[in-house]
Protein backbone atom coordinates (compact mmCIF):
# COMPACT_ATOMS: atom_id res chain seq x y z
CA UNK A 1 0.00 0.00 0.00
CA UNK A 2 1.73 3.22 -1.13
CA UNK A 3 1.93 6.21 1.20
CA UNK A 4 1.03 8.55 -1.67
CA UNK A 5 -2.17 6.58 -2.35
CA UNK A 6 -3.13 6.60 1.34
CA UNK A 7 -2.63 10.38 1.38
CA UNK A 8 -4.78 10.77 -1.77
CA UNK A 9 -7.56 8.78 -0.09
CA UNK A 10 -7.39 10.98 3.03
CA UNK A 11 -7.51 14.17 0.93
CA UNK A 12 -10.54 12.95 -1.03
CA UNK A 13 -12.41 11.88 2.12
CA UNK A 14 -11.39 15.06 3.96
CA UNK A 15 -12.63 17.26 1.09
CA UNK A 16 -16.01 15.52 1.17
CA UNK A 17 -16.21 15.72 4.98
CA UNK A 18 -15.61 19.51 4.82
CA UNK A 19 -19.06 19.78 3.31
CA UNK A 20 -18.24 23.03 1.46
CA UNK A 21 -18.26 21.52 -2.04
CA UNK A 22 -21.37 19.33 -2.52
CA UNK A 23 -20.64 19.08 -6.28
CA UNK A 24 -17.27 17.44 -5.57
CA UNK A 25 -18.96 14.99 -3.18
CA UNK A 26 -21.65 14.03 -5.72
CA UNK A 27 -19.09 13.55 -8.52
CA UNK A 28 -16.78 11.51 -6.30
CA UNK A 29 -19.61 9.26 -5.08
CA UNK A 30 -20.46 8.64 -8.73
CA UNK A 31 -16.87 7.85 -9.72
CA UNK A 32 -15.57 5.74 -6.87
CA UNK A 33 -16.82 2.72 -4.97
CA UNK A 34 -15.79 1.71 -1.42
CA UNK A 35 -13.64 -1.07 -2.94
CA UNK A 36 -11.50 1.56 -4.70
CA UNK A 37 -9.94 2.54 -1.34
CA UNK A 38 -6.93 0.60 -0.15
CA UNK A 39 -7.34 1.33 3.59
CA UNK A 40 -10.29 -0.56 5.20
CA UNK A 41 -11.17 2.42 7.48
CA UNK A 42 -11.32 4.64 4.38
CA UNK A 43 -13.81 2.22 2.79
CA UNK A 44 -15.99 2.48 5.89
CA UNK A 45 -15.88 6.30 5.87
CA UNK A 46 -16.67 6.38 2.12
CA UNK A 47 -19.65 4.05 2.68
CA UNK A 48 -20.88 6.29 5.52
CA UNK A 49 -20.54 9.37 3.28
CA UNK A 50 -22.57 7.64 0.54
CA UNK A 51 -25.23 6.63 3.07
CA UNK A 52 -25.38 10.13 4.53
CA UNK A 53 -25.70 11.65 1.03
CA UNK A 54 -28.77 9.49 0.43
CA UNK A 55 -30.65 11.21 3.22
CA UNK A 56 -29.20 14.73 3.34
CA UNK A 57 -26.19 17.00 3.63
CA UNK A 58 -22.69 15.52 3.89
CA UNK A 59 -20.32 17.12 6.37
CA UNK A 60 -18.19 16.07 9.31
CA UNK A 61 -21.03 16.08 11.83
CA UNK A 62 -23.64 14.27 9.68
CA UNK A 63 -21.16 11.58 8.65
CA UNK A 64 -20.16 11.10 12.29
CA UNK A 65 -23.84 10.50 13.13
CA UNK A 66 -24.02 7.87 10.36
CA UNK A 67 -20.85 6.18 11.64
CA UNK A 68 -22.22 6.20 15.18
CA UNK A 69 -25.45 4.70 13.92
CA UNK A 70 -23.58 1.81 12.38
CA UNK A 71 -21.26 1.53 15.41
CA UNK A 72 -18.20 2.13 13.23
CA UNK A 73 -17.00 5.54 14.45
CA UNK A 74 -14.43 3.97 16.80
CA UNK A 75 -13.31 1.51 14.10
CA UNK A 76 -12.31 4.36 11.77
CA UNK A 77 -10.37 6.12 14.53
CA UNK A 78 -13.04 8.49 15.88
CA UNK A 79 -13.43 12.24 15.51
CA UNK A 80 -9.67 12.99 15.65
CA UNK A 81 -8.89 10.93 12.56
CA UNK A 82 -11.78 12.43 10.57
CA UNK A 83 -10.83 15.97 11.64
CA UNK A 84 -7.20 15.28 10.61
CA UNK A 85 -8.41 14.22 7.14
CA UNK A 86 -10.33 17.48 6.87
CA UNK A 87 -7.17 19.41 7.82
CA UNK A 88 -5.12 17.41 5.32
CA UNK A 89 -7.60 18.20 2.54
CA UNK A 90 -6.60 21.87 2.76
CA UNK A 91 -3.10 20.92 1.61
CA UNK A 92 -4.45 20.05 -1.88
CA UNK A 93 -5.75 22.56 -4.38
CA UNK A 94 -6.82 19.87 -6.86
CA UNK A 95 -8.69 17.10 -5.00
CA UNK A 96 -10.15 15.81 -8.30
CA UNK A 97 -6.62 14.75 -9.30
CA UNK A 98 -6.57 12.53 -6.22
CA UNK A 99 -9.97 11.08 -7.18
CA UNK A 100 -8.57 10.25 -10.64
CA UNK A 101 -5.51 8.61 -9.06
CA UNK A 102 -7.70 6.39 -6.84
CA UNK A 103 -10.01 5.50 -9.78
CA UNK A 104 -7.04 4.61 -12.02
CA UNK A 105 -5.48 2.43 -9.34
CA UNK A 106 -8.80 0.63 -8.80
CA UNK A 107 -9.13 0.02 -12.56
CA UNK A 108 -5.56 -1.35 -12.78
CA UNK A 109 -6.20 -3.67 -9.80
CA UNK A 110 -9.46 -4.91 -11.32
CA UNK A 111 -7.75 -5.58 -14.67
CA UNK A 112 -4.92 -7.45 -12.94
CA UNK A 113 -7.46 -9.64 -11.14
CA UNK A 114 -9.29 -10.31 -14.42
CA UNK A 115 -6.06 -11.35 -16.15
CA UNK A 116 -5.10 -13.61 -13.24
CA UNK A 117 -8.53 -15.29 -13.39
CA UNK A 118 -8.16 -15.82 -17.16
CA UNK A 119 -4.77 -17.46 -16.67
CA UNK A 120 -6.14 -19.74 -13.94
CA UNK A 121 -9.07 -20.68 -16.22
CA UNK A 122 -6.64 -21.53 -19.06
CA UNK A 123 -4.53 -23.63 -16.70
CA UNK A 124 -7.72 -25.41 -15.63
CA UNK A 125 -8.30 -26.47 -19.23
CA UNK A 126 -10.73 -23.82 -20.47
CA UNK A 127 -10.80 -23.87 -24.30
CA UNK A 128 -9.27 -20.94 -26.18
CA UNK A 129 -12.49 -19.48 -27.61
CA UNK A 130 -14.27 -19.51 -24.24
CA UNK A 131 -11.17 -18.05 -22.62
CA UNK A 132 -11.01 -15.28 -25.22
CA UNK A 133 -14.68 -14.36 -24.63
CA UNK A 134 -14.14 -14.56 -20.85
CA UNK A 135 -11.06 -12.31 -21.12
CA UNK A 136 -12.81 -9.76 -23.35
CA UNK A 137 -15.75 -9.57 -20.94
CA UNK A 138 -13.46 -9.22 -17.95
CA UNK A 139 -11.36 -6.51 -19.58
CA UNK A 140 -14.43 -4.61 -20.76
CA UNK A 141 -15.89 -4.70 -17.27
CA UNK A 142 -12.71 -3.15 -15.85
CA UNK A 143 -12.63 -0.18 -18.23
CA UNK A 144 -13.35 3.20 -16.67
CA UNK A 145 -16.44 3.60 -18.87
CA UNK A 146 -17.84 0.27 -17.74
CA UNK A 147 -17.38 1.27 -14.10
CA UNK A 148 -19.39 4.41 -14.65
CA UNK A 149 -22.00 2.99 -17.00
CA UNK A 150 -23.62 -0.39 -16.46
CA UNK A 151 -23.94 -2.59 -19.53
CA UNK A 152 -27.45 -3.07 -20.91
CA UNK A 153 -26.66 -6.61 -22.04
CA UNK A 154 -25.62 -7.55 -18.47
CA UNK A 155 -28.79 -5.99 -17.11
CA UNK A 156 -30.97 -7.79 -19.68
CA UNK A 157 -29.25 -11.07 -18.82
CA UNK A 158 -29.88 -10.47 -15.11
CA UNK A 159 -33.54 -9.79 -15.85
CA UNK A 160 -33.75 -12.93 -17.98
CA UNK A 161 -32.38 -15.01 -15.09
CA UNK A 162 -34.95 -13.42 -12.76
CA UNK A 163 -37.79 -14.06 -15.22
CA UNK A 164 -36.70 -17.66 -15.55
CA UNK A 165 -36.75 -18.07 -11.77
CA UNK A 166 -40.13 -16.37 -11.53
CA UNK A 167 -41.74 -18.51 -14.23
CA UNK A 168 -40.37 -21.61 -12.54
CA UNK A 169 -41.80 -20.47 -9.22
CA UNK A 170 -38.33 -20.16 -7.69
CA UNK A 171 -38.58 -16.51 -6.59
CA UNK A 172 -39.86 -16.17 -3.02
CA UNK A 173 -43.34 -14.69 -3.06
CA UNK A 174 -43.88 -11.18 -1.76
CA UNK A 175 -45.00 -10.77 1.84
CA UNK A 176 -48.71 -11.52 2.29
CA UNK A 177 -50.75 -9.13 4.40
CA UNK A 178 -53.73 -11.47 4.63
CA UNK A 179 -55.92 -8.73 3.13
CA UNK A 180 -56.85 -10.79 0.08
CA UNK A 181 -57.88 -8.01 -2.31
CA UNK A 182 -54.81 -5.95 -1.39
CA UNK A 183 -52.55 -9.00 -1.83
CA UNK A 184 -54.09 -9.70 -5.24
CA UNK A 185 -53.32 -6.17 -6.38
CA UNK A 186 -49.77 -6.00 -5.01
CA UNK A 187 -48.85 -9.69 -5.57
CA UNK A 188 -47.43 -9.50 -2.05
CA UNK A 189 -45.19 -6.75 -0.67
CA UNK A 190 -41.70 -6.80 -2.14
CA UNK A 191 -38.51 -6.58 -0.03
CA UNK A 192 -37.12 -3.04 0.06
CA UNK A 193 -40.49 -1.41 -0.51
CA UNK A 194 -41.88 1.32 1.71
CA UNK A 195 -45.63 1.03 2.22
CA UNK A 196 -47.51 3.87 3.87
CA UNK A 197 -50.78 3.12 5.61
CA UNK A 198 -52.46 6.48 5.87
CA UNK A 199 -55.63 7.49 7.61
CA UNK A 200 -57.21 10.15 9.75
CA UNK A 201 -56.87 9.79 13.51
CA UNK A 202 -58.60 6.72 14.88
CA UNK A 203 -59.40 5.26 11.44
CA UNK A 204 -57.77 1.90 12.14
CA UNK A 205 -54.15 2.18 11.00
CA UNK A 206 -52.84 0.22 13.98
CA UNK A 207 -55.55 -2.42 13.54
CA UNK A 208 -54.57 -2.78 9.86
CA UNK A 209 -50.84 -3.00 10.58
CA UNK A 210 -51.49 -5.52 13.37
CA UNK A 211 -53.57 -7.60 10.92
CA UNK A 212 -50.57 -7.66 8.57
CA UNK A 213 -48.19 -8.43 11.42
CA UNK A 214 -50.30 -11.37 12.55
CA UNK A 215 -50.40 -12.74 9.01
CA UNK A 216 -46.62 -12.40 8.64
CA UNK A 217 -46.06 -14.19 11.95
CA UNK A 218 -48.45 -16.97 10.93
CA UNK A 219 -46.34 -17.31 7.75
CA UNK A 220 -43.23 -17.59 9.97
CA UNK A 221 -41.81 -14.28 8.69
CA UNK A 222 -39.91 -12.18 11.22
CA UNK A 223 -41.44 -8.83 12.20
CA UNK A 224 -40.15 -5.80 14.10
CA UNK A 225 -43.11 -3.69 15.26
CA UNK A 226 -42.03 -0.23 16.41
CA UNK A 227 -44.84 1.01 18.64
CA UNK A 228 -44.39 4.72 19.27
CA UNK A 229 -47.69 5.41 20.99
CA UNK A 230 -48.72 2.15 22.66
CA UNK A 231 -47.15 -0.12 25.24
CA UNK A 232 -46.15 -3.70 24.46
CA UNK A 233 -48.92 -4.87 26.82
CA UNK A 234 -51.54 -2.91 24.86
CA UNK A 235 -50.26 -4.35 21.59
CA UNK A 236 -50.34 -7.88 23.01
CA UNK A 237 -53.83 -7.36 24.39
CA UNK A 238 -55.02 -6.37 20.90
CA UNK A 239 -53.28 -9.37 19.34
CA UNK A 240 -54.90 -11.74 21.86
CA UNK A 241 -58.33 -10.22 21.27
CA UNK A 242 -57.92 -10.64 17.50
CA UNK A 243 -56.48 -14.16 17.63
CA UNK A 244 -58.89 -15.49 20.26
CA UNK A 245 -61.93 -13.63 18.90
CA UNK A 246 -62.64 -12.32 22.39
CA UNK A 247 -63.75 -8.69 22.74
CA UNK A 248 -61.14 -6.25 24.03
CA UNK A 249 -63.53 -5.06 26.72
CA UNK A 250 -63.85 -8.59 28.13
CA UNK A 251 -60.09 -8.68 28.64
CA UNK A 252 -60.26 -5.53 30.72
CA UNK A 253 -63.03 -6.25 33.19
CA UNK A 254 -63.07 -8.81 36.01
CA UNK A 255 -65.10 -12.01 35.63
CA UNK A 256 -66.12 -11.48 32.01
CA UNK A 257 -64.60 -14.57 30.40
CA UNK A 258 -66.53 -17.84 30.24
CA UNK A 259 -64.64 -21.17 30.04
CA UNK A 260 -64.67 -21.30 26.26
CA UNK A 261 -63.35 -17.75 25.94
CA UNK A 262 -60.69 -18.42 28.55
CA UNK A 263 -59.53 -21.48 26.56
CA UNK A 264 -59.30 -19.39 23.43
CA UNK A 265 -57.36 -16.68 25.25
CA UNK A 266 -54.86 -19.19 26.67
CA UNK A 267 -54.46 -20.74 23.21
CA UNK A 268 -53.82 -17.29 21.71
CA UNK A 269 -51.26 -16.50 24.43
CA UNK A 270 -49.29 -19.66 23.62
CA UNK A 271 -49.48 -18.96 19.88
CA UNK A 272 -48.35 -15.34 20.19
CA UNK A 273 -45.51 -16.21 22.59
CA UNK A 274 -44.00 -18.34 19.81
CA UNK A 275 -44.29 -15.71 17.05
CA UNK A 276 -41.11 -14.37 15.37
CA UNK A 277 -42.14 -10.90 16.54
CA UNK A 278 -40.30 -8.12 18.35
CA UNK A 279 -42.37 -5.26 19.77
CA UNK A 280 -40.06 -2.30 20.20
CA UNK A 281 -41.40 0.53 22.35
CA UNK A 282 -38.03 2.24 22.91
CA UNK A 283 -37.02 3.45 19.45
CA UNK A 284 -37.74 7.08 18.78
CA UNK A 285 -35.51 7.87 15.77
CA UNK A 286 -34.72 6.21 12.45
CA UNK A 287 -31.24 5.47 13.83
CA UNK A 288 -32.86 3.68 16.82
CA UNK A 289 -35.01 1.66 14.42
CA UNK A 290 -31.94 0.77 12.35
CA UNK A 291 -30.21 -0.57 15.48
CA UNK A 292 -33.30 -2.50 16.59
CA UNK A 293 -33.80 -3.93 13.09
CA UNK A 294 -30.18 -5.05 12.86
CA UNK A 295 -30.49 -6.77 16.24
CA UNK A 296 -33.83 -8.36 15.25
CA UNK A 297 -32.32 -9.63 11.99
CA UNK A 298 -29.41 -11.22 13.87
CA UNK A 299 -31.70 -12.77 16.51
CA UNK A 300 -34.05 -14.19 13.85
CA UNK A 301 -31.11 -15.60 11.87
CA UNK A 302 -30.27 -17.78 14.88
CA UNK A 303 -33.55 -19.64 14.35
CA UNK A 304 -33.13 -19.70 10.56
CA UNK A 305 -35.73 -16.99 9.95
CA UNK A 306 -35.57 -13.68 8.15
CA UNK A 307 -36.70 -10.22 9.13
CA UNK A 308 -39.36 -9.67 6.47
CA UNK A 309 -41.33 -6.76 7.91
CA UNK A 310 -40.66 -3.60 9.91
CA UNK A 311 -43.75 -1.68 11.05
CA UNK A 312 -43.45 1.91 12.24
CA UNK A 313 -46.55 3.03 14.12
CA UNK A 314 -46.53 5.88 13.24
CA UNK A 315 -44.35 8.24 11.20
CA UNK A 316 -45.34 11.58 12.74
CA UNK A 317 -44.28 10.35 16.20
CA UNK A 318 -40.66 9.82 15.15
CA UNK A 319 -38.05 12.38 16.19
CA UNK A 320 -34.68 13.43 14.81
CA UNK A 321 -31.36 12.56 16.36
CA UNK A 322 -30.15 15.69 18.15
CA UNK A 323 -33.36 17.62 17.43
CA UNK A 324 -34.73 19.14 14.27
CA UNK A 325 -32.10 21.89 14.02
CA UNK A 326 -32.85 24.28 11.18
CA UNK A 327 -35.08 21.80 9.32
CA UNK A 328 -38.77 22.57 8.98
CA UNK A 329 -41.23 19.78 9.81
CA UNK A 330 -41.71 18.76 6.15
CA UNK A 331 -37.93 18.39 5.71
CA UNK A 332 -37.75 16.42 8.93
CA UNK A 333 -40.52 13.99 7.89
CA UNK A 334 -38.74 13.72 4.51
CA UNK A 335 -35.65 12.52 6.35
CA UNK A 336 -37.70 9.89 8.16
CA UNK A 337 -39.25 8.51 4.97
CA UNK A 338 -35.94 8.50 3.08
CA UNK A 339 -34.21 6.88 6.06
CA UNK A 340 -36.87 4.16 6.28
CA UNK A 341 -36.82 3.53 2.54
CA UNK A 342 -33.03 3.20 2.69
CA UNK A 343 -33.23 0.86 5.69
CA UNK A 344 -35.72 -1.42 3.93
CA UNK A 345 -33.46 -1.56 0.88
CA UNK A 346 -30.36 -2.36 2.91
CA UNK A 347 -32.00 -5.07 5.00
CA UNK A 348 -34.14 -6.30 2.07
CA UNK A 349 -37.20 -5.98 4.23
CA UNK A 350 -40.64 -4.50 3.71
CA UNK A 351 -41.14 -1.33 5.75
CA UNK A 352 -44.72 -0.34 6.58
CA UNK A 353 -45.24 3.09 8.12
CA UNK A 354 -48.47 4.44 9.52
CA UNK A 355 -49.13 8.07 8.66
CA UNK A 356 -51.80 10.56 9.59
CA UNK A 357 -53.86 12.65 7.24
CA UNK A 358 -54.48 16.26 8.05
CA UNK A 359 -57.62 16.39 10.16
CA UNK A 360 -58.70 19.71 8.70
CA UNK A 361 -57.66 19.09 5.09
CA UNK A 362 -60.88 17.72 3.70
CA UNK A 363 -64.39 16.51 4.31
CA UNK A 364 -64.10 13.41 6.53
CA UNK A 365 -67.04 11.87 4.68
CA UNK A 366 -65.11 11.87 1.42
CA UNK A 367 -62.40 9.43 0.43
CA UNK A 368 -58.96 10.78 1.27
CA UNK A 369 -56.54 12.14 -1.33
CA UNK A 370 -52.75 12.02 -1.55
CA UNK A 371 -52.37 15.75 -1.00
CA UNK A 372 -53.93 15.35 2.45
CA UNK A 373 -50.89 13.44 3.73
CA UNK A 374 -49.71 15.32 6.76
CA UNK A 375 -46.53 17.35 6.72
CA UNK A 376 -44.70 16.12 3.69
CA UNK A 377 -44.87 15.33 0.00
CA UNK A 378 -41.88 13.09 0.67
CA UNK A 379 -44.23 10.43 2.06
CA UNK A 380 -45.85 10.27 -1.37
CA UNK A 381 -42.51 10.42 -3.21
CA UNK A 382 -40.62 7.83 -1.14
CA UNK A 383 -43.44 5.32 -0.71
CA UNK A 384 -43.84 2.52 -3.21
CA UNK A 385 -47.42 2.04 -2.10
CA UNK A 386 -49.74 4.42 -0.27
CA UNK A 387 -52.84 2.72 1.09
CA UNK A 388 -55.42 5.10 2.50
CA UNK A 389 -57.87 3.77 5.04
CA UNK A 390 -61.26 5.38 5.30
CA UNK A 391 -63.84 4.86 8.01
CA UNK A 392 -66.22 7.80 8.24
CA UNK A 393 -67.73 6.42 11.45
CA UNK A 394 -64.36 6.85 13.18
CA UNK A 395 -64.89 10.59 13.08
CA UNK A 396 -67.79 11.88 15.11
CA UNK A 397 -70.01 9.00 14.01
CA UNK A 398 -70.53 10.54 10.57
CA UNK A 399 -72.11 8.39 7.91
CA UNK A 400 -70.19 8.00 4.65
CA UNK A 401 -70.07 5.42 1.93
CA UNK A 402 -69.03 2.56 4.21
CA UNK A 403 -71.37 1.11 6.80
CA UNK A 404 -70.46 1.25 10.51
CA UNK A 405 -68.84 -2.15 10.34
CA UNK A 406 -66.78 -1.53 7.20
CA UNK A 407 -63.44 0.04 6.50
CA UNK A 408 -62.48 1.11 2.99
CA UNK A 409 -58.97 0.68 1.57
CA UNK A 410 -57.97 2.89 -1.35
CA UNK A 411 -54.61 2.47 -3.07
CA UNK A 412 -53.59 6.06 -3.74
CA UNK A 413 -50.18 5.17 -5.12
CA UNK A 414 -48.71 1.93 -6.43
CA UNK A 415 -45.28 2.38 -8.01
CA UNK A 416 -45.25 -1.03 -9.68
CA UNK A 417 -48.92 -1.62 -10.42
CA UNK A 418 -52.40 -0.19 -10.77
CA UNK A 419 -53.46 2.55 -8.36
CA UNK A 420 -56.87 3.87 -7.34
CA UNK A 421 -58.17 0.35 -6.63
CA UNK A 422 -60.68 0.36 -3.80
CA UNK A 423 -61.87 -2.45 -1.56
CA UNK A 424 -63.78 -2.98 1.65
CA UNK A 425 -62.94 -4.98 4.77
CA UNK A 426 -65.23 -5.95 7.61
CA UNK A 427 -64.32 -3.77 10.59
CA UNK A 428 -64.17 -5.40 14.03
CA UNK A 429 -62.92 -2.60 16.29
CA UNK A 430 -64.06 -4.57 19.37
CA UNK A 431 -61.72 -7.40 18.29
CA UNK A 432 -58.91 -5.08 17.13
CA UNK A 433 -59.02 -6.70 13.69
CA UNK A 434 -60.58 -6.66 10.25
CA UNK A 435 -61.78 -9.52 8.07
CA UNK A 436 -62.86 -10.35 4.54
CA UNK A 437 -66.05 -8.38 3.84
CA UNK A 438 -68.28 -11.46 3.63
CA UNK A 439 -67.14 -12.74 7.00
CA UNK A 440 -68.84 -11.16 9.98
CA UNK A 441 -68.02 -12.17 13.53
N1 LIG B 1 -62.77 -1.80 22.78
C1 LIG B 1 -63.15 -1.34 21.58
N2 LIG B 1 -64.37 -1.62 21.09
C2 LIG B 1 -64.75 -1.17 19.88
N3 LIG B 1 -63.97 -0.41 19.07
C3 LIG B 1 -62.76 -0.09 19.52
C4 LIG B 1 -62.27 -0.54 20.77
N4 LIG B 1 -61.01 -0.05 20.94
C5 LIG B 1 -60.73 0.65 19.82
N5 LIG B 1 -61.76 0.62 18.96
C6 LIG B 1 -61.84 1.26 17.63
O1 LIG B 1 -60.57 1.24 17.05
C7 LIG B 1 -60.26 2.55 16.58
C8 LIG B 1 -58.78 2.80 16.74
O2 LIG B 1 -58.12 1.93 15.88
P1 LIG B 1 -56.58 2.17 15.62
O3 LIG B 1 -55.87 2.30 16.93
O4 LIG B 1 -56.13 1.15 14.67
O5 LIG B 1 -56.64 3.58 14.91
P2 LIG B 1 -55.42 4.49 14.43
O6 LIG B 1 -55.81 4.97 13.09
O7 LIG B 1 -54.15 3.75 14.57
O8 LIG B 1 -55.52 5.64 15.51
P3 LIG B 1 -54.48 6.82 15.85
O9 LIG B 1 -54.54 7.76 14.74
O10 LIG B 1 -55.05 7.37 17.12
O11 LIG B 1 -53.16 6.17 16.05
C9 LIG B 1 -61.03 3.50 17.44
O12 LIG B 1 -61.36 4.67 16.69
C10 LIG B 1 -62.26 2.70 17.78
O13 LIG B 1 -63.23 2.97 16.80
Amino acid sequence: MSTAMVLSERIVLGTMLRGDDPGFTTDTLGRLTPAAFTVPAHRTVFTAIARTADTGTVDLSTVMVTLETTDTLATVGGFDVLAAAVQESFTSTAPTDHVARIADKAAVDARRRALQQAVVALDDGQDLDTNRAFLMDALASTSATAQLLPSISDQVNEYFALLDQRLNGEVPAGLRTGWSRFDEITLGLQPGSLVTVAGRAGTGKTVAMMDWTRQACRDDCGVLYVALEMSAQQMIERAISAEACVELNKLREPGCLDDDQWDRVSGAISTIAAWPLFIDTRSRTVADIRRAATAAKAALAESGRELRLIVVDYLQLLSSDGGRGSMNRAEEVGRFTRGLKLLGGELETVVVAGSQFNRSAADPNKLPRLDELKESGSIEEDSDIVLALHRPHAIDGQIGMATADEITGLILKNRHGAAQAQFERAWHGHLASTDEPMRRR
Side-chain angles (χ1 to χ4, degrees), residues 197-210 225 229-230 237-238 241 247-250 252 313-314 317 354-357 389 391 393-395 407 427-433:
V197 176
R200 299 181 182 114
T203 311
K205 299 181 289 295
T206 304
V207 165
M209 294 187 293
M210 282 291 288
Y225 197 108
E229 68 169 350
M230 284 170 66
E237 183 177 73
R238 282 183 173 218
S241 167
E247 286 94 327
L248 279 168
N249 291 353
K250 293 203 171 164
R252 292 175 187 160
D313 186 6
Y314 58 87
L317 292 177
S355 179
Q356 284 209 335
F357 278 125
L389 297 179
R391 202 166 60 86
H393 294 265
I395 301 144
I407 181 167
W427 169 257
H428 303 302
H430 58 300
L431 297 172
S433 60

Side-chain angles (χ1 to χ4, degrees), residues 73-155:
L73 183 58
T75 324
V76 302
F79 169 79
D80 290 348
V81 166
L82 299 181
V86 169
Q87 281 306 316
E88 227 154 1
S89 74
F90 289 109
T91 62
S92 167
T93 50
T96 42
D97 290 351
H98 294 279
V99 175
R101 181 180 294 169
I102 296 169
D104 286 348
K105 161 97 171 49
V108 169
D109 286 348
R111 191 156 291 201
R112 185 178 292 124
R113 277 195 302 275
L115 288 169
Q116 282 164 349
Q117 280 168 8
V119 171
V120 170
L122 263 188
D123 286 346
D124 285 350
Q126 191 175 55
D127 71 77
L128 284 176
D129 280 344
T130 312
N131 189 260
R132 183 173 178 281
F134 173 81
L135 196 54
M136 297 295 282
D137 275 358
L139 293 181
S141 72
T142 61
S143 79
T145 318
Q147 279 175 13
L148 283 178
L149 298 172
S151 130
I152 182 69
S153 70
D154 287 352
Q155 289 171 329

Side-chain angles (χ1 to χ4, degrees), residues 175 189 193-195 209 212-213 216 222-226 278 280 289-290 292-294 296-297 307-313 339-340 342-345 347-354:
L175 186 81
L189 304 178
S193 54
L194 175 63
V195 181
M209 294 187 293
W212 299 4
T213 297
V223 183
L224 172 69
Y225 197 108
V226 182
F278 297 93
D280 170 20
I289 295 174
R290 176 182 289 278
T294 309
K297 194 176 167 76
L307 178 65
R308 298 280 308 273
L309 174 64
I310 300 172
V311 179
V312 180
D313 186 6
L340 292 176
L342 204 65
L343 179 64
L347 299 184
E348 296 183 22
T349 299
V350 177
V351 178
V352 170

Side-chain angles (χ1 to χ4, degrees), residues 12-32 46 49-50 52-54 56-59 63 95-96 99:
V12 169
L13 294 174
T15 309
M16 290 198 280
L17 289 171
R18 258 157 49 190
D20 56 1
D21 189 351
F24 173 82
T25 302
T26 309
D27 290 348
T28 305
L29 290 174
R31 262 188 98 177
L32 300 180
F46 184 84
I49 290 174
T52 311
D54 281 335
T57 316
V58 170
D59 59 30
V63 174
T96 42
V99 175

